[in-house]
Amino acid sequence: GLIVDGASSLYTKSAAAELTLAANLAGCAFLGRSLVEGTGELLNLRIQAKNLGCGLEEAYRAAAAELCARLEEEQFPRRERPNLLVLHASSHHTSNTMALWSRVREKLGEEAFSYTEIGLRNGTLSDCSGCPYTMCLHFGERGGCFYGGVMQEAVYPAVRRADALILMCPNYNDALSANLSAFINRLTALFRQTRFYEKAVFALVVSGYSGSDTVARQLISALNMNKSFYLPPRFALMETANAPGEALASPGIELRLARFVQGMEETFAV
């Protein structure tokens, strides 16, 4: 976990994401909601202070104490035949990320893991429109979202069943694709109802030129620090490839795939 203080409201989260990715690549795991921030005048803690009925500094200390307590007490649960929810918005015929996933699934096998794959292609998923908190809470408590669609009908039930997410993340202009960003935004309604501490997140990230770390940090900030997913050691396989088929032709790719698969197996002790 991390406690990051800053002199202003800027850079605490970006610095934390940088530190987390570096430590994660070195083999560190992070529990869900792994960050406590102390920004400037502690104004980021106004809601927590209001909920606790205390001052800002007391809320800061309470958040740090809660993080430390979870670090001492929590253990990520091991499971038999864990279910992976695979989310993508890619073409199977040309996508390097999907080609990598095919090899990962082949190496994982069909006996040790079960799989649910959902494609979030254009036209199937509306982004979050920022409903008022009470409206979002109302629909989230009923297991849905005001905007319904594939998120309510397929994705929410799959997330509830899943032991881990694995996201196919091509680098679009040094950012997650629009549909995967919409998926994360729409998770808020479900997050109002439940936390995801016992669900892991993995990613396959492919950049045409560079910047896979930029996408990985976005996933860390959004899914680990915000939405509370567990971050296993070396959670992301990051590759550089442009033309179809380049990722699987990259020198040393089989060894990197084997290490990534081994990490997934060790996360669940399968």
Side-chain angles (χ1 to χ4, degrees):
L2 301 97
I3 299 175
V4 180
D5 295 343
S8 73
S9 61
L10 305 180
Y11 306 119
T12 49
K13 192 157 288 177
S14 58
E18 291 269 8
L19 289 165
T20 299
L21 179 59
N24 184 259
L25 291 173
C28 293
F30 288 80
L31 80 173
R33 304 204 91 175
S34 59
L35 172 64
V36 171
E37 297 173 89
T39 65
E41 302 298 321
L42 298 179
L43 296 181
N44 63 304
L45 293 160
R46 285 175 295 185
I47 300 300
Q48 292 93 321
K50 180 180 178 181
N51 291 339
L52 292 172
C54 65
L56 294 174
E57 186 169 341
E58 290 81 3
Y60 170 73
R61 293 180 182 276
E66 189 268 345
L67 175 64
C68 292
R70 288 194 294 116
L71 280 167
E72 292 180 343
E73 298 168 2
E74 289 189 9
Q75 291 186 344
F76 187 72
R78 278 25 178 184
R79 301 175 180 88
E80 293 186 8
R81 202 163 186 261
N83 178 262
L84 298 180
L85 172 57
V86 183
L87 294 172
H88 67 87
S90 303
S91 166
H92 284 261
H93 303 292
T94 61
S95 168
N96 278 296
T97 52
M98 293 305 294
L100 289 173
W101 164 240
S102 293
R103 292 290 290 125
V104 168
R105 179 165 179 167
E106 180 182 314
K107 290 178 179 293
L108 286 171
E110 301 296 325
E111 295 184 1
F113 289 82
S114 63
Y115 308 92
T116 302
E117 294 191 21
I118 299 178
L120 303 174
R121 300 299 302 276
N122 289 336
T124 65
L125 179 63
S126 299
D127 202 347
C128 177
S129 295
C131 289
Y133 174 84
T134 52
M135 181 185 292
C136 187
L137 179 63
H138 170 80
F139 283 94
E141 287 175 341
R142 287 154 180 78
C145 170
F146 177 79
Y147 293 94
V150 67
M151 282 294 294
Q152 180 169 311
E153 296 163 9
V155 178
Y156 286 165
V159 171
R160 290 192 192 93
R161 293 192 303 268
D163 299 304
L165 305 182
I166 179 164
L167 304 179
M168 309 295 107
C169 301
N171 179 352
Y172 289 162
N173 301 305
D174 293 328
L176 286 169
S177 68
N179 282 355
L180 288 178
S181 293
F183 156 73
I184 293 171
N185 293 339
R186 291 281 300 276
L187 268 182
T188 300
L190 188 59
F191 183 69
R192 304 286 192 207
Q193 180 190 23
T194 185
R195 295 295 184 261
F196 305 121
Y197 296 119
E198 296 188 351
K199 300 179 188 292
V201 60
F202 299 93
L204 299 175
V205 183
V206 178
S207 295
Y209 303 98
S210 65
S212 291
D213 57 308
T214 302
V215 175
R217 288 195 299 272
Q218 290 174 355
L219 293 171
I220 288 170
S221 294
L223 292 174
N224 170 254
M225 294 178 177
N226 188 296
K227 291 294 189 287
S228 77
F229 284 87
Y230 171 73
L231 195 73
R234 302 178 183 90
F235 88 104
L237 176 62
M238 295 178 280
E239 296 293 327
T240 301
N242 201 319
E246 275 191 352
L248 290 182
S250 175
I253 186 60
E254 288 299 324
L255 178 59
R256 293 193 296 277
L257 283 166
R259 288 173 175 167
F260 182 71
V261 167
Q262 181 182 2
M264 296 184 71
E265 292 171 340
E266 290 175 351
T267 295
F268 295 102
V270 297

